[in-house]
């Protein structure tokens, strides 16, 4: 993939705050020419893709099923828009529906396509946390938006920050600077 790219991932059961953060970060970074990579799911993923599309930015959805069976079906309109301004990617052959084990592979691909991963909201056990760990395992920066201490949607992001797997980030400019700093040290 040419150019800079960043994954923005998080909870399917997101809050309005998390959805706005995902859209705002995606819009800002897409306006700088960055490709936004996510999983096409409900919640944070949807809003990350939508943020890039708001300004005709490039966004890439990595699917857990075959390209002819995108999941969730209710995002068919979003997937059509993504095809106009980016790409749908899957390692599953045509005809294969999304299944539990496929989501872990999808998360690994999301991490691999991106210079870094921003986790907006995530439960303690979630696909977004798996994406963050996949990203850390290939020595790419992991960033997390801190959340309320009592919010289940922030238990995972706060743990990533506490365990020093992710850097705390509070703005899209800060996220860009951290990711670029990491790549300038190579």
């Amino acid at each position: 993939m040419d150019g800079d790219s960043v994954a923005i991932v998080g909870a399917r059961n997101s809050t309005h705050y998390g959805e706005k953060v995902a859209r705002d970060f995606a819009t800002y970074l897409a306006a700088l020419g960055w490709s936004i990579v996510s999983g096409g799911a409900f919640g944070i993923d949807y809003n990350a893709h939508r943020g890039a599309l708001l300004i005709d930015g490039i966004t890439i959805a990595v699917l857990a099923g075959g390209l002819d069976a995108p999941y969730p079906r209710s995002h068919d309109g979003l997937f059509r828009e993504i095809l106009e301004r980016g790409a749908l990617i899957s390692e599953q052959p045509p005809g294969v529906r999304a299944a539990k084990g496929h989501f872990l592979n999808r998360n690994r691909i999301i991490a691999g396509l991106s210079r870094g991963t921003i986790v907006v909201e995530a439960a303690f056990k979630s696909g977004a946390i798996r994406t963050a760990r996949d990203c850390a395992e290939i020595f790419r920066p992991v960033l997390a938006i801190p959340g309320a201490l009592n919010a289940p949607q922030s238990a995972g992001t706060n743990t990533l920050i506490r365990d020093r797997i992710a850097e705390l980030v509070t703005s899209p400019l800060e996220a860009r600077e951290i990711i670029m700093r990491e790549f300038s040290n190579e």
Side-chain angles (χ1 to χ4, degrees), residues 36-50:
I36 305 302
V37 182
S38 200
F42 294 107
I44 299 303
D45 290 13
Y46 176 88
N47 283 280
H49 293 302
R50 184 60 59 212

Side-chain angles (χ1 to χ4, degrees), residues 9-20:
V9 298
R12 290 180 181 161
N13 184 23
S14 53
T15 65
H16 292 295
Y17 166 77
E19 292 167 1
K20 181 176 180 351

Side-chain angles (χ1 to χ4, degrees), residues 3 8 22 40 42 50 52 54-55 73 85 109 117 123 128 177:
I8 300 177
F42 294 107
R50 184 60 59 212
L54 282 173
I55 56 131
R73 276 286 186 213
R85 291 292 312 150
I109 294 168
T117 296
E177 288 173 356

Side-chain angles (χ1 to χ4, degrees), residues 33-111:
W34 286 42
S35 299
I36 305 302
V37 182
S38 200
F42 294 107
I44 299 303
D45 290 13
Y46 176 88
N47 283 280
H49 293 302
R50 184 60 59 212
L53 292 168
L54 282 173
I55 56 131
D56 291 327
I58 296 170
T59 188
I60 298 163
V62 182
L63 305 177
L67 294 176
D68 62 340
Y71 175 85
R73 276 286 186 213
S74 60
H75 287 178
D76 283 350
L78 174 70
F79 295 140
R80 279 192 299 278
E81 286 183 65
I82 290 171
L83 279 173
E84 293 174 13
R85 291 292 312 150
L88 298 178
I89 297 173
S90 177
E91 70 177 359
Q92 300 301 324
V96 173
R97 295 216 174 280
K100 189 174 183 178
H102 300 165
F103 289 94
L104 294 176
N105 292 333
R106 176 199 69 175
N107 297 341
R108 176 184 45 78
I109 294 168
I110 290 169

